[in-house]
Amino acid sequence: MMRRIAVIASGRGSNFQAVIDAIQAGTIPACCVGLITDNPEAYAIVRAEKANIPVLVIDYRSFPSRDLYERALLSAMQQLDADLYVLAGYMRILGKGIVQAFSGKMVNIHPALLPSFTGLHAQRQAVEYGVKVAGCTVHFVDEHLDCGPIILQRCVPVLETDDEDSLAERILYEEHIAFPEAIRLFCEDRLTIVGRRVTIRR
Ligand code: GRF
C-alpha cells in the first residue's frame, strides 16, 4: 500500500533528497505529499519544487508567539494527512501538543549514536569528547529532545585527523542510507514499538 509521507525541514535538505530519491527509485512505497519548512530560504524548497512536491512555508519569524506558530504548524501537518511525518533537519524543538498528536507517526534523524550527544553540534561534541566511534540514529519522536524509540543506527570510525566537518561528512553519508531505510520499514508496516524498543519484522 502506498503511504503518505510529509517532510519537515529547515535547511539544506540532503536527507530529504535521499528520501525523494528512494521514493522515485521505488524503494520506499510512499508518495511525498508535502514539505513544510519554517525557513523561507531553505534549500529543501528547491529540492521539493524539482520533485513536484507541494511546499508550505510556515515562517517562524512571521508569528507573534511560539504558540501561534505551533498552532499553524499543527494545522498544516493535519491538512497533509500523512501516515508518517519525517523530520529531516528541522532545527526547532517541537511542542508537546504536536509530538502527542503524531505519536508513533513521526521520525527524526540525529547525527550521533544516541543517547550520546543530543542537541546541536552533535558531531563537534563527538570529536571533542574523543569517542572512537560515531554515527547516526533514526528514531521515533517523543516529548524529549533526541530521545524516542530507536529504529536504526549506523556507525563510522572517528579518525585522529578528524574535525567537526570531516566527521559530519562521514556521518552524513550513513544518514542518507539509514533514513530512507527506516522510512521504508515504516511504510512496509514492519516496525513495532514496544516500550523504548522498536522491533523490526524481517
Ligand atoms: C543532519 O545532520 C541531520 O542528522 C540533522 O540535521 C542535519 C540536516 O542535514 N538532524 P540536511 O538538511 O538533511 O542536509
Side-chain angles (χ1 to χ4, degrees), residues 49-114:
E49 284 167 351
K50 283 190 187 152
N52 280 315
I53 294 166
V55 177
L56 289 120
V57 179
I58 302 177
D59 186 352
Y60 183 82
R61 289 163 305 179
S62 71
F63 289 86
S65 71
R66 185 183 145 89
D67 190 46
L68 288 170
Y69 164 75
E70 288 257 331
R71 271 195 239 178
L73 179 58
L74 175 64
S75 104
M77 290 173 74
Q78 282 165 339
Q79 259 173 48
L80 287 177
D81 189 28
D83 299 300
L84 179 67
Y85 295 85
V86 170
L87 303 183
Y90 177 65
M91 299 309 283
R92 298 181 187 282
I93 295 173
L94 282 174
K96 252 197 179 151
I98 291 185
V99 169
Q100 280 164 3
F102 305 105
S103 168
K105 297 174 63 170
M106 184 157 38
V107 294
N108 179 48
I109 184 148
H110 183 71
L113 295 175
L114 292 173

Side-chain angles (χ1 to χ4, degrees), residues 108-168:
N108 179 48
I109 184 148
H110 183 71
L113 295 175
L114 292 173
S116 294
F117 313 129
T118 58
L120 290 176
H121 305 299
Q123 305 95 329
R124 188 195 304 169
Q125 293 181 53
V127 170
E128 286 175 357
Y129 196 92
V131 291
K132 302 296 187 192
V133 179
C136 63
T137 303
V138 186
H139 63 93
F140 283 104
V141 175
D142 71 6
E143 57 271 29
H144 306 288
L145 180 67
D146 299 325
C147 181
I150 291 171
I151 303 168
L152 289 180
Q153 295 184 301
R154 291 181 70 89
C155 58
V156 300
V158 181
L159 308 181
E160 289 177 1
T161 50
D162 270 334
D163 59 12
E164 178 181 6
D165 291 342
S166 61
L167 179 61

